[in-house]
Amino acid sequence: MLAAIFTTSRLFPNFKPSLSTFSLVRTLSPSSASRFQVRSMASSSPFKKIQIQREDTAFDAYVVGKEDAPGIVVLQEWWGVDFEIKNHAEKISQLGPGFKALIPDLYRGKVGLDVAEAQHLMDGLDWQGAVKDICASVNWLKANGSKKVGVTGFCMGGALSIASSVLAPEVDAVVAFYGVPSSELADPAQAKAPVQAHFGELDNFVGFSDVTAAKALEEKLKASGVPYEVHIYPGNAHAFMNRSPEGLKRRKGMGLPDEDEASAELAWSRFQSWMTRYLSA
């Protein structure tokens, strides 16, 4: 358990786990690595599976939405490309006039089935490589009908979304949910694309997505000179956008409160306004 926490501290140097965080992380048993789920999309899925090449490697990605619509790269939580990130991408594709959503598989087919496995997968992520995956995903969308492309993500993906505003000049807009990149990865004061960010007031991932991290991000974005918004939702904790029945069950199992639907809907409304404003051709 301590090893998992300390590894996270290397990724997020300011991360200070609270007592409730310790209750979320349990020891990864030697046999559990074999239980990582290698996910496949069902034939009835609305997603089209593609493969994107970058440098000397290739990765799978999943696309949903109108062919000629503005593109949005949708970045996974620490679980991987699971039911919840697919729910988010499908919803995004249906917002307003419609978007073309693309999920890059940053874990190369693996999905964490519980907290310890998700922790293990995130700890093993090549963050610089993930940024390259994001750049390649943006370029694929622009080469395939999307004149402008934004990036969004949740938790781990939220941090990577903000990093993309700094490190990926092809990105036209960012919306990040409850995640801030380490200073080693990217300095938000150097952001080059408009950034909107969403945080829960009760989030206890200190230095990563708590209120202090949100306010520090706001100061960095102010210094960057790009358009920005930072929204904090009273009474909401981490991952408050996960509203599917499966997501609510998982949140309950992690000891997270069941927030109100209104906060998630308000965040989606702000998301739609932001992406429509900056991705309109």
Side-chain angles (χ1 to χ4, degrees), residues 4-107:
I5 291 292
F6 290 148
T7 306
T8 301
S9 297
R10 289 198 297 272
L11 287 172
F12 312 120
N14 297 322
F15 179 85
K16 297 179 180 63
S18 66
L19 289 176
S20 59
T21 305
F22 278 97
S23 69
L24 301 185
V25 183
R26 52 186 171 79
T27 303
L28 182 65
S29 65
S31 62
S32 60
S34 65
R35 299 197 300 110
F36 289 135
Q37 179 185 13
V38 177
R39 171 230 350 94
S40 63
M41 291 283 179
S43 58
S44 61
S45 168
F47 291 86
K48 178 176 71 173
K49 181 179 178 181
I50 62 169
Q51 193 166 76
I52 297 176
Q53 185 77 32
R54 69 161 176 86
E55 300 172 338
D56 59 349
T57 188
F59 59 92
D60 291 338
Y62 301 89
V63 183
V64 62
K66 292 168 28 178
E67 284 300 313
D68 59 349
I72 298 180
V73 177
V74 184
L75 302 175
Q76 67 200 46
E77 297 176 290
W78 68 344
W79 307 106
V81 182
D82 70 347
F83 61 88
E84 202 70 275
I85 201 64
K86 288 184 280 183
N87 290 340
H88 291 330
E90 190 169 1
K91 182 176 182 69
I92 287 167
S93 74
Q94 298 167 356
L95 289 174
F99 295 98
K100 186 176 181 180
L102 182 153
I103 309 171
D105 190 346
L106 304 181
Y107 286 167

Side-chain angles (χ1 to χ4, degrees), residues 83-84 87 243-250:
F83 61 88
E84 202 70 275
N87 290 340
R243 303 298 304 167
S244 71
E246 300 93 337
L248 291 174
K249 181 178 179 181
R250 183 162 65 187

Side-chain angles (χ1 to χ4, degrees), residues 165-264:
S165 74
V166 178
L167 302 172
E170 307 89 349
V171 173
D172 295 301
V174 164
V175 177
F177 292 89
Y178 31 82
V180 177
S182 68
S183 57
E184 288 82 0
L185 179 63
D187 179 3
Q190 302 300 316
K192 301 173 183 65
V195 176
Q196 183 186 79
H198 304 265
F199 298 88
E201 178 192 33
L202 304 181
D203 197 317
N204 63 1
F205 284 86
V206 178
F208 178 64
S209 53
D210 66 329
V211 170
T212 300
K215 291 181 177 179
L217 171 66
E218 187 169 21
E219 290 304 310
K220 290 276 191 177
L221 292 174
K222 187 183 298 182
S224 74
V226 300
Y228 71 91
E229 293 178 0
V230 176
H231 300 286
I232 298 174
Y233 296 80
N236 285 265
H238 194 73
F240 66 88
M241 296 298 288
N242 294 351
R243 303 298 304 167
S244 71
E246 300 93 337
L248 291 174
K249 181 178 179 181
R250 183 162 65 187
R251 287 173 50 78
K252 184 177 180 180
M254 294 175 65
L256 296 173
D258 181 11
E259 288 85 11
D260 60 295
E261 183 75 28
S263 293

